[in-house]
Coordinates of all heavy atoms in Angstrom, one line a residue:
M1 N 89.9 47.4 117.7 CA 90.0 48.2 116.5 C 91.4 48.8 116.5 O 91.9 49.3 117.5 CB 89.0 49.3 116.5 CG 89.1 50.3 115.4 SD 87.6 51.4 115.3 CE 86.7 50.4 114.2
K2 N 92.0 48.8 115.3 CA 93.4 49.3 115.2 C 93.4 50.5 114.2 O 92.6 50.4 113.2 CB 94.3 48.2 114.7 CG 94.4 47.0 115.6 CD 95.3 45.9 115.0 CE 95.3 44.7 115.9 NZ 96.0 43.6 115.3
A3 N 94.3 51.4 114.4 CA 94.4 52.6 113.5 C 95.8 53.2 113.6 O 96.4 53.1 114.6 CB 93.3 53.6 113.8
Y4 N 96.2 53.8 112.5 CA 97.4 54.6 112.4 C 96.9 56.0 112.4 O 96.0 56.4 111.7 CB 98.2 54.3 111.1 CG 98.8 52.9 111.1 CD1 98.1 51.8 110.6 CD2 100.0 52.7 111.8 CE1 98.7 50.6 110.6 CE2 100.6 51.4 111.8 CZ 99.9 50.4 111.2 OH 100.5 49.1 111.2
V5 N 97.5 56.8 113.3 CA 97.2 58.2 113.4 C 98.5 59.0 113.0 O 99.5 58.9 113.6 CB 96.8 58.6 114.8 CG1 96.4 60.1 114.8 CG2 95.6 57.8 115.2
L6 N 98.4 59.7 111.9 CA 99.5 60.5 111.4 C 99.4 61.9 111.9 O 98.3 62.5 111.8 CB 99.5 60.5 109.8 CG 99.9 59.2 109.2 CD1 99.0 58.0 109.5 CD2 100.0 59.4 107.7
I7 N 100.4 62.4 112.5 CA 100.3 63.7 113.3 C 101.3 64.7 112.8 O 102.5 64.4 112.7 CB 100.5 63.4 114.8 CG1 99.5 62.3 115.3 CG2 100.4 64.7 115.6 CD1 99.8 61.7 116.6
N8 N 100.8 65.9 112.5 CA 101.7 67.0 112.2 C 101.8 67.9 113.4 O 100.8 68.2 114.1 CB 101.1 67.8 111.0 CG 101.1 67.0 109.7 OD1 102.2 66.4 109.4 ND2 100.1 67.0 109.0
V9 N 103.0 68.3 113.7 CA 103.3 69.0 114.9 C 104.0 70.4 114.6 O 104.7 70.5 113.7 CB 104.2 68.2 115.8 CG1 104.6 68.8 117.1 CG2 103.5 66.8 116.1
Q10 N 103.7 71.4 115.5 CA 104.4 72.6 115.4 C 105.9 72.4 115.5 O 106.4 71.6 116.3 CB 104.0 73.6 116.5 CG 102.5 74.0 116.3 CD 102.1 74.8 117.5 OE1 102.8 75.0 118.5 NE2 100.9 75.3 117.5
A11 N 106.7 73.3 114.9 CA 108.2 73.2 114.9 C 108.6 73.3 116.4 O 108.1 74.1 117.2 CB 108.8 74.3 114.1
G12 N 109.6 72.4 116.7 CA 110.1 72.4 118.1 C 109.3 71.7 119.1 O 109.7 71.7 120.3
K13 N 108.2 71.1 118.8 CA 107.3 70.5 119.8 C 107.2 69.0 119.7 O 106.5 68.3 120.4 CB 105.9 71.0 119.6 CG 105.7 72.5 119.8 CD 105.7 72.9 121.2 CE 105.5 74.4 121.3 NZ 105.3 74.9 122.7
V14 N 108.0 68.4 118.8 CA 107.8 66.9 118.5 C 108.1 66.1 119.8 O 107.4 65.2 120.1 CB 108.7 66.5 117.3 CG1 108.8 65.0 117.2 CG2 108.2 67.1 116.0
R15 N 109.2 66.4 120.4 CA 109.6 65.6 121.6 C 108.5 65.7 122.7 O 108.2 64.7 123.4 CB 110.9 65.9 122.2 CG 112.1 65.5 121.3 CD 113.4 65.7 121.9 NE 114.5 65.3 121.0 CZ 115.6 65.8 120.9 NH1 115.9 66.9 121.6 NH2 116.5 65.4 120.1
Q16 N 108.0 66.9 122.9 CA 107.0 67.1 123.9 C 105.7 66.3 123.6 O 105.1 65.7 124.4 CB 106.7 68.6 124.0 CG 105.6 69.0 124.9 CD 105.2 70.5 124.8 OE1 106.1 71.3 124.3 NE2 104.1 70.9 125.2
V17 N 105.3 66.4 122.3 CA 104.1 65.8 121.9 C 104.3 64.2 122.0 O 103.4 63.5 122.4 CB 103.7 66.2 120.5 CG1 102.6 65.3 119.9 CG2 103.2 67.7 120.5
L18 N 105.4 63.8 121.5 CA 105.7 62.3 121.5 C 105.6 61.8 123.0 O 105.0 60.7 123.2 CB 107.1 62.1 120.9 CG 107.4 60.7 120.6 CD1 106.5 60.1 119.5 CD2 108.9 60.6 120.1
G19 N 106.2 62.5 123.9 CA 106.1 62.0 125.3 C 104.7 61.9 125.8 O 104.3 61.0 126.5
K20 N 103.9 62.9 125.5 CA 102.5 62.9 125.9 C 101.7 61.8 125.2 O 100.8 61.1 125.8 CB 101.8 64.2 125.7 CG 102.4 65.3 126.7 CD 101.7 66.6 126.4 CE 102.3 67.6 127.4 NZ 101.7 69.0 127.3
L21 N 101.9 61.6 123.9 CA 101.3 60.5 123.2 C 101.5 59.1 123.8 O 100.6 58.3 123.9 CB 101.8 60.5 121.7 CG 101.1 61.4 120.7 CD1 101.9 61.3 119.4 CD2 99.7 61.0 120.5
R22 N 102.7 58.9 124.1 CA 103.1 57.6 124.6 C 102.5 57.2 126.0 O 102.5 56.1 126.4 CB 104.6 57.4 124.7 CG 105.3 57.4 123.3 CD 106.7 57.3 123.4 NE 107.3 57.0 122.0 CZ 108.6 57.2 121.7 NH1 109.4 57.6 122.6 NH2 109.0 56.9 120.5
K23 N 101.9 58.2 126.7 CA 101.3 58.0 127.9 C 99.7 57.7 127.8 O 99.1 57.4 128.8 CB 101.5 59.2 128.9 CG 102.9 59.4 129.3 CD 103.1 60.6 130.1 CE 104.5 60.8 130.5 NZ 104.8 62.1 131.2
I24 N 99.2 57.9 126.6 CA 97.8 57.7 126.4 C 97.4 56.2 126.3 O 98.1 55.5 125.5 CB 97.3 58.5 125.1 CG1 97.5 60.0 125.3 CG2 95.9 58.1 124.8 CD1 97.2 60.8 124.1
A25 N 96.5 55.8 127.0 CA 96.0 54.4 126.9 C 95.5 54.1 125.5 O 94.8 54.9 124.9 CB 94.9 54.2 127.9
G26 N 95.9 53.0 125.0 CA 95.6 52.7 123.6 C 96.6 53.0 122.6 O 96.6 52.4 121.5
V27 N 97.5 53.9 122.9 CA 98.6 54.2 121.9 C 99.7 53.2 122.2 O 100.3 53.2 123.2 CB 99.1 55.7 122.1 CG1 100.3 55.9 121.2 CG2 98.0 56.7 121.9
R28 N 99.8 52.2 121.2 CA 100.7 51.1 121.4 C 102.1 51.5 121.0 O 103.1 51.1 121.6 CB 100.3 49.9 120.5 CG 98.9 49.4 120.9 CD 99.0 48.7 122.3 NE 97.7 48.3 122.7 CZ 97.2 48.6 123.9 NH1 97.8 49.4 124.7 NH2 96.0 48.2 124.2
E29 N 102.2 52.4 120.0 CA 103.5 52.9 119.5 C 103.4 54.3 119.0 O 102.3 54.6 118.5 CB 104.1 52.0 118.4 CG 104.4 50.6 118.8 CD 105.1 49.8 117.7 OE1 105.9 50.4 117.0 OE2 104.8 48.6 117.5
A30 N 104.4 55.1 119.1 CA 104.5 56.4 118.5 C 105.9 56.7 118.2 O 106.8 56.6 119.1 CB 103.9 57.4 119.5
H31 N 106.1 57.1 117.0 CA 107.5 57.4 116.5 C 107.5 58.7 115.7 O 106.7 58.9 114.9 CB 108.0 56.2 115.6 CG 107.9 54.9 116.2 ND1 108.9 54.4 117.1 CD2 107.0 53.9 116.2 CE1 108.5 53.2 117.5 NE2 107.4 52.9 117.0
C32 N 108.6 59.4 115.9 CA 108.8 60.6 115.1 C 109.6 60.3 113.9 O 110.4 59.3 113.9 CB 109.4 61.8 115.9 SG 110.9 61.4 116.7
C33 N 109.5 61.1 112.9 CA 110.3 60.8 111.7 C 110.5 62.2 111.0 O 109.9 63.2 111.3 CB 109.6 59.8 110.7 SG 108.0 60.4 110.2
W34 N 111.4 62.1 110.0 CA 111.7 63.3 109.2 C 110.6 63.5 108.2 O 110.0 62.5 107.7 CB 113.0 63.2 108.5 CG 114.2 63.3 109.5 CD1 114.1 63.5 110.8 CD2 115.5 63.3 109.1 NE1 115.4 63.5 111.3 CE2 116.3 63.4 110.3 CE3 116.2 63.2 107.9 CZ2 117.7 63.5 110.3 CZ3 117.6 63.2 107.9 CH2 118.3 63.3 109.1
G35 N 110.2 64.7 107.8 CA 109.2 64.9 106.8 C 107.8 65.0 107.5 O 107.7 65.1 108.7
R36 N 106.8 64.9 106.6 CA 105.4 65.0 107.0 C 104.8 63.6 106.8 O 105.0 63.0 105.8 CB 104.7 66.1 106.3 CG 105.0 67.5 106.6 CD 104.5 67.8 107.9 NE 104.7 69.2 108.2 CZ 104.2 69.9 109.2 NH1 103.4 69.3 110.0 NH2 104.5 71.1 109.5
P37 N 104.0 63.1 107.7 CA 103.8 63.7 109.0 C 105.0 63.6 110.0 O 105.9 62.8 109.7 CB 102.6 62.9 109.6 CG 102.8 61.5 108.9 CD 103.4 61.8 107.6
D38 N 104.9 64.3 111.0 CA 106.0 64.3 112.0 C 106.0 63.1 112.9 O 107.1 62.7 113.3 CB 105.9 65.6 112.9 CG 106.0 66.9 112.1 OD1 107.0 67.1 111.4 OD2 105.0 67.7 112.1
I39 N 104.8 62.6 113.2 CA 104.7 61.4 114.1 C 103.7 60.4 113.5 O 102.7 60.8 113.0 CB 104.2 61.9 115.5 CG1 105.2 62.8 116.2 CG2 103.9 60.7 116.4 CD1 104.8 63.4 117.5
F40 N 104.1 59.2 113.6 CA 103.2 58.1 113.3 C 102.9 57.4 114.6 O 103.8 57.0 115.3 CB 103.9 57.0 112.4 CG 104.1 57.5 111.0 CD1 105.1 58.3 110.6 CD2 103.2 57.1 110.0 CE1 105.3 58.7 109.3 CE2 103.3 57.5 108.7 CZ 104.4 58.3 108.3
A41 N 101.6 57.3 114.9 CA 101.1 56.6 116.1 C 100.3 55.4 115.7 O 99.5 55.5 114.8 CB 100.4 57.5 117.0
F42 N 100.5 54.3 116.4 CA 99.6 53.1 116.2 C 98.7 53.0 117.4 O 99.2 52.9 118.6 CB 100.5 51.9 116.0 CG 99.6 50.6 115.8 CD1 98.9 50.4 114.7 CD2 99.6 49.6 116.8 CE1 98.1 49.3 114.5 CE2 98.8 48.5 116.7 CZ 98.1 48.3 115.5
V43 N 97.4 53.0 117.2 CA 96.4 52.9 118.3 C 95.7 51.6 118.2 O 95.3 51.2 117.1 CB 95.4 54.1 118.2 CG1 94.3 54.0 119.2 CG2 96.2 55.5 118.3
E44 N 95.5 51.0 119.4 CA 94.6 49.8 119.4 C 93.7 49.9 120.6 O 94.1 50.0 121.8 CB 95.5 48.5 119.6 CG 94.8 47.3 119.5 CD 95.7 46.0 119.5 OE1 96.9 46.2 119.7 OE2 95.1 45.0 119.2
V45 N 92.4 49.9 120.3 CA 91.3 50.1 121.3 C 90.2 49.1 121.0 O 90.2 48.5 119.9 CB 90.8 51.6 121.3 CG1 91.9 52.5 121.8 CG2 90.4 52.0 119.9
P46 N 89.3 49.0 121.9 CA 88.2 47.9 121.7 C 87.2 48.2 120.6 O 86.7 47.2 120.0 CB 87.5 47.9 123.1 CG 88.3 48.7 124.0 CD 89.2 49.5 123.2
N47 N 86.9 49.5 120.3 CA 85.8 49.7 119.4 C 85.9 51.1 118.8 O 86.8 51.9 119.2 CB 84.5 49.5 120.1 CG 84.3 50.3 121.3 OD1 84.6 51.5 121.4 ND2 83.9 49.6 122.4
E48 N 85.0 51.5 117.9 CA 85.0 52.8 117.3 C 84.8 53.9 118.3 O 85.3 55.0 118.1 CB 83.9 52.8 116.2 CG 83.9 54.0 115.4 CD 82.9 54.0 114.3 OE1 82.5 52.9 113.8 OE2 82.5 55.1 113.8
I49 N 83.9 53.7 119.3 CA 83.7 54.7 120.3 C 85.0 55.1 121.0 O 85.3 56.2 121.2 CB 82.6 54.3 121.3 CG1 81.2 54.2 120.5 CG2 82.5 55.3 122.4 CD1 80.1 53.6 121.3
A50 N 85.7 54.0 121.4 CA 87.0 54.3 122.1 C 88.0 54.9 121.2 O 88.8 55.8 121.6 CB 87.6 52.9 122.6
L51 N 88.0 54.6 119.9 CA 88.9 55.3 118.9 C 88.6 56.7 118.8 O 89.5 57.6 118.8 CB 88.8 54.6 117.6 CG 89.7 55.2 116.5 CD1 91.2 55.1 116.9 CD2 89.5 54.5 115.1
T52 N 87.3 57.0 118.7 CA 86.9 58.4 118.6 C 87.3 59.2 119.8 O 87.9 60.3 119.7 CB 85.3 58.5 118.5 OG1 84.9 57.8 117.3 CG2 84.8 60.0 118.4
E53 N 87.1 58.6 121.0 CA 87.5 59.3 122.3 C 89.0 59.5 122.3 O 89.5 60.5 122.7 CB 87.1 58.4 123.5 CG 87.5 58.9 124.8 CD 86.8 60.2 125.3 OE1 85.8 60.6 124.7 OE2 87.3 60.8 126.2
T54 N 89.8 58.5 121.9 CA 91.2 58.5 122.0 C 91.8 59.6 121.0 O 92.6 60.4 121.4 CB 91.8 57.2 121.6 OG1 91.4 56.2 122.5 CG2 93.4 57.2 121.6
V55 N 91.2 59.7 119.8 CA 91.8 60.6 118.8 C 91.3 62.0 119.1 O 92.1 63.0 119.2 CB 91.4 60.2 117.4 CG1 91.8 61.3 116.4 CG2 92.1 58.9 117.0
L56 N 89.9 62.2 119.3 CA 89.4 63.5 119.4 C 89.6 64.2 120.8 O 89.9 65.4 120.9 CB 87.9 63.5 119.1 CG 87.5 63.1 117.7 CD1 86.0 63.2 117.5 CD2 88.2 64.0 116.7
A57 N 89.5 63.4 121.9 CA 89.5 64.0 123.2 C 90.9 63.9 123.8 O 91.2 64.7 124.7 CB 88.5 63.3 124.1
K58 N 91.7 63.0 123.4 CA 93.1 62.8 124.0 C 94.2 63.2 123.1 O 95.0 64.1 123.5 CB 93.2 61.3 124.4 CG 92.2 60.9 125.5 CD 92.4 59.5 125.9 CE 91.3 59.1 126.9 NZ 91.4 57.6 127.2
I59 N 94.3 62.7 121.9 CA 95.4 63.0 121.0 C 95.3 64.5 120.5 O 96.2 65.3 120.6 CB 95.5 62.0 119.8 CG1 95.9 60.7 120.4 CG2 96.5 62.5 118.8 CD1 95.9 59.5 119.3
Q60 N 94.1 64.8 119.9 CA 94.0 66.2 119.3 C 94.1 67.3 120.3 O 94.2 68.5 119.9 CB 92.7 66.2 118.5 CG 92.8 65.4 117.2 CD 91.6 65.6 116.3 OE1 90.6 66.2 116.7 NE2 91.7 65.1 115.1
T61 N 93.9 67.0 121.6 CA 94.0 68.1 122.6 C 95.4 68.4 123.1 O 95.6 69.3 123.9 CB 93.0 67.8 123.7 OG1 93.4 66.6 124.4 CG2 91.6 67.7 123.3
I62 N 96.3 67.6 122.6 CA 97.7 67.8 123.1 C 98.2 69.1 122.4 O 98.1 69.3 121.2 CB 98.6 66.6 122.7 CG1 98.2 65.4 123.4 CG2 100.1 67.0 122.9 CD1 98.9 64.1 122.9
G63 N 98.8 70.0 123.2 CA 99.3 71.2 122.7 C 100.5 71.0 121.8 O 101.3 70.2 122.0
G64 N 100.5 71.7 120.7 CA 101.5 71.6 119.7 C 101.1 70.8 118.5 O 101.8 70.8 117.4
I65 N 100.0 70.1 118.6 CA 99.6 69.3 117.4 C 98.8 70.2 116.5 O 97.9 71.0 116.9 CB 98.7 68.1 117.8 CG1 99.5 67.1 118.5 CG2 97.9 67.5 116.6 CD1 98.8 65.8 119.0
E66 N 99.2 70.2 115.2 CA 98.5 71.0 114.2 C 97.4 70.3 113.5 O 96.3 70.9 113.2 CB 99.5 71.4 113.1 CG 100.6 72.4 113.6 CD 101.6 72.7 112.5 OE1 101.8 72.0 111.5 OE2 102.3 73.7 112.7
S67 N 97.6 69.0 113.2 CA 96.5 68.2 112.6 C 96.8 66.7 112.7 O 98.0 66.3 113.0 CB 96.4 68.6 111.1 OG 97.6 68.2 110.4
T68 N 95.7 65.9 112.5 CA 95.9 64.5 112.6 C 95.2 63.9 111.3 O 94.3 64.5 110.8 CB 95.3 63.9 113.8 OG1 93.9 64.1 113.8 CG2 95.9 64.4 115.1
D69 N 95.6 62.7 111.0 CA 94.9 62.0 109.9 C 94.9 60.5 110.3 O 95.9 59.9 110.5 CB 95.8 62.2 108.6 CG 95.1 61.6 107.4 OD1 93.9 61.3 107.4 OD2 95.9 61.4 106.4
T70 N 93.7 60.0 110.5 CA 93.5 58.7 111.1 C 93.1 57.7 110.0 O 92.3 57.9 109.2 CB 92.4 58.7 112.1 OG1 92.7 59.6 113.1 CG2 92.2 57.3 112.8
H71 N 93.9 56.6 110.0 CA 93.7 55.5 109.0 C 93.3 54.2 109.8 O 94.2 53.6 110.4 CB 94.9 55.3 108.2 CG 95.3 56.5 107.4 ND1 95.0 56.6 106.1 CD2 95.9 57.6 107.7 CE1 95.4 57.8 105.6 NE2 96.0 58.4 106.6
I72 N 92.1 53.7 109.6 CA 91.6 52.5 110.3 C 92.1 51.3 109.6 O 92.0 51.2 108.4 CB 90.1 52.5 110.5 CG1 89.6 53.7 111.3 CG2 89.6 51.2 111.0 CD1 88.1 53.9 111.4
V73 N 92.6 50.4 110.3 CA 93.1 49.1 109.8 C 91.9 48.2 109.5 O 91.0 48.1 110.4 CB 94.1 48.4 110.8 CG1 94.5 47.0 110.2 CG2 95.3 49.3 111.0
I74 N 91.8 47.7 108.3 CA 90.6 46.9 107.9 C 90.8 45.4 107.8 O 89.9 44.6 107.6 CB 90.0 47.4 106.6 CG1 91.0 47.4 105.5 CG2 89.4 48.8 106.8 CD1 90.4 47.7 104.1
G75 N 92.1 45.0 107.9 CA 92.4 43.6 107.7 C 92.9 42.9 108.9 O 93.3 43.4 109.9

């Protein structure tokens, strides 16, 4: 299962969050950009349960993250 996770981060925390994101299993790419969202992450995991665990228990618990918006790839 593949998904794009769009991440909004507190001011001054982008580099810190980006470093932690890139260490999470299943996060294939993570890039910061100007504007909103602050970070685009591409996640690839075996199934929906793994995606839920990755986003809710690993990504959203990183300090400095304000919000996430997950878009599942359907094609």
